[in-house]
Every structure is written in structure tokens, then in C-alpha cells.
Amino acid sequence: MITLRTLDHAVTYLLEFLESIPAVSDHDHHHSDGFFAEPVTVDRLLASSYVAWTGYVSDGSREARQQLLDNAGYNSYFHWFERGLQKVHGFDLPLTLETWDTINERIVAVYAQDPAFHWRALHDHGFSALILDNYLDPGSDNGHGDIFVPTFRIDKFMYGYHGEAVAPDDFVPWERYGF
């Protein structure tokens, strides 16, 4: 007979087992070290994440943060951003207008003390490798070949059929790669 206790034990066992297995991310956009040389804030991280695709980006003001939370706070991009932030930085506070400054101070302090935190945290949280789709520098491993495996983004070449063709973000493959 399966009891709640045995079910709980099985779930705990499975979670511990899964967390012990090295993970490989099959698609990652990770910033280069230069991004982390400037102060790393919650606002800046959100603005450079998929959350910004919602059209709500905080400028650091209370009003902009509230607008972002009201309009994107239930979006899956925001949900997983928040969960990742909590996991990597070791807290369980939800990101709300009331907790924003506290969480922000913690994150600013972590990166100020350890600028390399951003990629070492990946190792610390079970990633053995991440396939890096470096949007700004296709084919790059961001100087961290021990964790990032570069892939080569080809969508730019869909606009590169002619030497004068330009992708929507002004990326010109012919110029970039000297064709």
C-alpha cells in the first residue's frame, strides 16, 4: 500500500537524484564578462532577459517597476527569471515592489565582490556545459570554454545572400566575416 509518507520519500529521493545529475543547457544566451563589469542590478538583468520581450522594462523608478510587475509579473519569462534569481542567490523572497530594493542590494553586492560569479554559478548549480548562442558574437565561448560550448547562429545568414543585405539588427555577415 502506498502511503503519503512513502510517496513523499519517493519524491524526495527522485528530486535528490535529479539534482545530482550534471545538466547541459541546450540553448543559452549568456552575456560576456564585460556586461558584468558594470553594476549588476535586478533592473539591468530584467532588461537584458526575455522578460523585456513583454514590452515592460524598468528604468529603476518605482513606477516603472510597478508597471512591469503589474503587466509582466505573471508571464512565464518573469516567473522563471524570478525562480532562477532565487535559486542562484539563495533566497526565497518573491520579487515585489516591497522586496525589490532588498533583493537588488544583495545582487549588486554579490557581483561587486565577485565579478566572475555569473559563470561560476552555472558550475555551482549543476551545469556541466551550456550551448552558447552568443547573439552579439556568434561562435564565441565568451572566453569560458570550460562551461560554454559555442554554436553558430545562422539566422543572420538568411539576410546575407547579398553583400549589401542587412539583418534587422544591422548585423552584416559579409562585413563581419570578411566574405
Side-chain angles (χ1 to χ4, degrees):
M1 177 173 165
I2 296 177
T3 65
L4 196 51
R5 182 181 171 131
T6 58
L7 186 58
D8 185 48
H9 177 72
V11 168
T12 300
Y13 173 80
L14 283 172
L15 286 173
E16 288 173 359
F17 173 72
L18 290 172
E19 287 179 354
S20 74
I21 299 172
V24 175
S25 169
D26 65 353
H27 189 168
D28 196 88
H29 302 283
H30 196 84
H31 290 289
S32 65
D33 292 346
F35 176 87
F36 299 94
E38 297 178 28
V40 177
T41 65
V42 173
D43 298 292
R44 194 157 168 253
L45 289 172
L46 279 163
S48 67
S49 75
Y50 284 135
V51 176
W53 285 11
T54 66
Y56 297 96
V57 178
S58 172
D59 61 9
S61 70
R62 189 170 175 83
E63 296 77 23
R65 289 174 177 172
Q66 186 64 60
Q67 189 176 31
L68 184 148
L69 291 168
D70 288 346
N71 293 284
Y74 299 99
N75 178 282
S76 64
Y77 293 139
F78 182 87
H79 172 77
W80 290 111
F81 174 90
E82 178 183 55
R83 293 280 302 270
L85 208 61
Q86 291 168 331
K87 177 83 172 174
V88 168
H89 291 280
F91 64 87
D92 58 3
L93 288 172
L95 185 56
T96 66
L97 202 55
E98 292 74 28
T99 63
W100 197 296
D101 288 333
T102 301
I103 293 170
N104 194 59
E105 288 169 12
R106 184 176 189 153
I107 289 165
V108 168
V110 164
Y111 286 98
Q113 180 183 350
D114 183 7
F117 175 83
H118 68 99
W119 62 268
R120 278 205 313 273
L122 299 170
H123 281 297
D124 294 347
H125 286 82
F127 284 97
S128 60
L130 292 99
I131 297 174
L132 180 64
D133 178 6
N134 192 327
Y135 190 79
L136 299 174
D137 191 12
S140 170
D141 66 6
N142 279 354
H144 300 288
D146 59 321
I147 186 87
F148 295 124
V149 177
T151 188
F152 199 75
R153 172 178 281 269
I154 67 159
D155 60 333
K156 306 300 181 190
F157 292 94
M158 301 303 121
Y159 296 92
Y161 51 84
H162 187 276
E164 296 173 13
V166 178
D169 59 0
D170 295 328
F171 188 95
V172 182
W174 290 74
E175 290 176 11
R176 174 66 183 249
Y177 300 108
F179 298 153

